Amino acid sequence: KQEVTQIPAALSVPEGENLVLNCSFTDSAIYNLQWFRQDPGKGLTSLLLIQSSQREQTSGRLNASLDKSSGRSTLYIAASQPGDSATYLCVCTDKLIFGTGTRLQVFP
Amino acid sequence: GAVVSQHPSWVICKSGTSVKIECRSLDFQATTMFWYRQFPKQSLMLMATSNEGSKATYEQGVEKDKFLINHASLTLSTLTVTSAHPEDSSFYICSARDAYSGNTIYFGEGSWLTVV
């Protein structure tokens, strides 16, 4: 059974830092891996989708990588801003297995 | 980008009544839609998967007679909470899979249900 774990569970950093959020999965036979953010009391916003044949995707200050052999995906956030504060979730989209989430707080 | 619209955003209903939540994919066809619920400070919990034109598949522990799901078209799925009780108060979120863009999943903004 696929299990998805995210480390750290919570992160609080000053504005401007470069961040690394980790996602690990137990079954490397995934199809797609997608990163989302969820603001308190709201739905999820898609950030990046990495298909199984891809190794990374970039969007603005965000970069996500996927290493299926090691069962890991990493989300890099460059030059963090207070507006980045949210919960970040990784999801194996073919089986809809959600990670445990990382609660990020960026303070001015 | 693709948008999934959920309505209503907030709903308060009396105990014993039923309430319907709509989930629409606005600019893509969603052959598969998903319904989740989320309690405060907890993770999303998948309730059911619905495929257009067929019966929904419910996750273990989710009562299909209480949470009625209809997916009659490629752009609309509805969740009806029947005979709602205060313990059904939660945040309900839908998502839709865009099969034509690498199976990307898009989420609605969610619906807050409060049963009084």
Side-chain angles (χ1 to χ4, degrees), chain B:
Chain B
V3 176
V4 174
S5 174
Q6 220 174 305
H7 178 80
S9 300
W10 301 83
V11 58
I12 300 174
C13 70
K14 290 184 177 180
S15 184
T17 62
S18 297
V19 61
K20 180 184 288 186
I21 301 171
E22 293 186 348
C23 178
R24 294 180 183 271
S25 57
L26 297 186
D27 55 0
F28 66 96
Q29 293 184 333
T31 54
T32 306
M33 287 187 170
F34 311 89
W35 288 95
Y36 313 78
R37 65 188 299 179
Q38 184 179 35
F39 293 105
K41 298 185 179 181
Q42 294 188 23
S43 298
L44 286 168
M45 183 191 80
L46 179 65
M47 298 175 65
T49 301
S50 73
N51 292 298
E52 184 264 339
S54 62
K55 292 183 178 180
T57 301
Y58 290 81
E59 296 298 305
Q60 190 173 7
V62 178
E63 301 175 58
K64 62 179 182 180
D65 294 329
K66 181 169 184 61
F67 298 100
L68 301 180
I69 292 173
N70 182 276
H71 191 170
S73 77
L74 287 171
T75 59
L76 173 64
S77 176
T78 61
L79 168 68
T80 301
V81 182
T82 63
S83 187
H85 291 286
E87 56 265 32
D88 297 325
S89 299
S90 184
F91 188 50
Y92 292 86
I93 308 176
C94 72
S95 69
R97 176 179 282 160
D98 184 351
Y100 296 101
S101 74
N103 282 321
T104 305
I105 295 179
Y106 299 97
F107 281 79
E109 284 293 308
S111 300
W112 282 102
L113 169 63
T114 301
V115 184
V116 298

Side-chain angles (χ1 to χ4, degrees), chain A residues 2-7 21-37 44-58 63-76 88-101, chain B residues 97 101-107:
Chain A
Q2 177 74 281
E3 293 183 3
V4 182
T5 305
Q6 289 184 246
I7 296 173
L21 307 183
N22 297 294
C23 172
S24 61
F25 41 93
T26 55
D27 184 353
S28 62
I30 66 170
Y31 186 60
N32 294 336
L33 189 135
Q34 195 166 351
W35 283 91
F36 295 88
R37 66 175 282 170
L44 277 68
T45 301
S46 178
L47 299 175
L48 291 165
L49 169 73
I50 310 175
Q51 298 186 8
S52 60
S53 59
Q54 299 173 329
R55 286 186 172 268
E56 66 176 329
Q57 285 287 315
T58 299
N63 173 277
S65 64
L66 175 64
D67 184 345
K68 291 176 61 179
S69 62
S70 66
R72 292 181 181 178
S73 177
T74 303
L75 178 67
Y76 296 90
Y88 289 81
L89 296 162
C90 64
V91 183
C92 295
T93 61
D94 50 332
K95 298 180 181 178
L96 282 180
I97 307 295
F98 282 84
T100 47
Chain B
R97 176 179 282 160
S101 74
N103 282 321
T104 305
I105 295 179
Y106 299 97
F107 281 79

